[in-house]
């Protein structure tokens, strides 16, 4: 209900993999290439990941979004 369509993907989640959860207010205004470019520089620390999410939201605004936006980035990092 509420127009949500749940999605389930079963896959390995390895070191360096990222999961981006984003609402339509941002997701509908971003190209896959833009997302990939921004996430490729997300690094392995919390500060850089926050910056990447901020960049995604800013890009959605540049691309015309005036809607509410929420994004969450989860990235598996190696233990060094």
């Amino acid at each position: 209900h509420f127009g949500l369509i749940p999605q389930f993907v079963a896959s390995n989640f390895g070191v360096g993999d990222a999961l981006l959860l984003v609402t339509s207010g941002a997701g509908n205004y971003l190209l896959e290439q833009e997302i990939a470019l921004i996430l490729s520089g997300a690094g392995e620390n919390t500060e850089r990941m926050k910056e990447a999410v901020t960049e995604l939201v800013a890009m959605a605004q540049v691309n015309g979004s005036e809607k509410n936006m929420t994004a969450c980035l989860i990235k598996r990092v190696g233990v060094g």
Side-chain angles (χ1 to χ4, degrees):
H1 77 78
F2 298 114
L4 300 176
I5 301 170
Q7 296 181 8
F8 177 79
V9 176
S11 181
N12 292 329
F13 193 66
V15 173
D17 288 347
L19 174 65
L20 177 65
L21 305 172
V22 62
T23 60
S24 62
N28 288 347
Y29 292 85
L30 295 167
L31 299 174
E32 189 174 325
Q33 298 90 337
E34 293 170 325
I35 295 170
L37 178 64
I38 292 170
L39 292 185
S40 69
E44 293 191 2
N45 64 54
T46 303
E47 190 58 38
R48 183 59 196 117
M49 290 172 64
K50 282 193 242 180
E51 290 171 4
V53 170
T54 300
E55 288 177 48
L56 287 168
V57 170
M59 180 65 69
Q61 289 174 322
V62 166
N63 291 347
S65 180
E66 296 178 354
K67 299 180 178 189
N68 292 329
M69 292 181 259
T70 302
C72 177
L73 176 60
I74 301 165
K75 186 169 184 180
R76 182 169 178 193
V77 297
V79 177

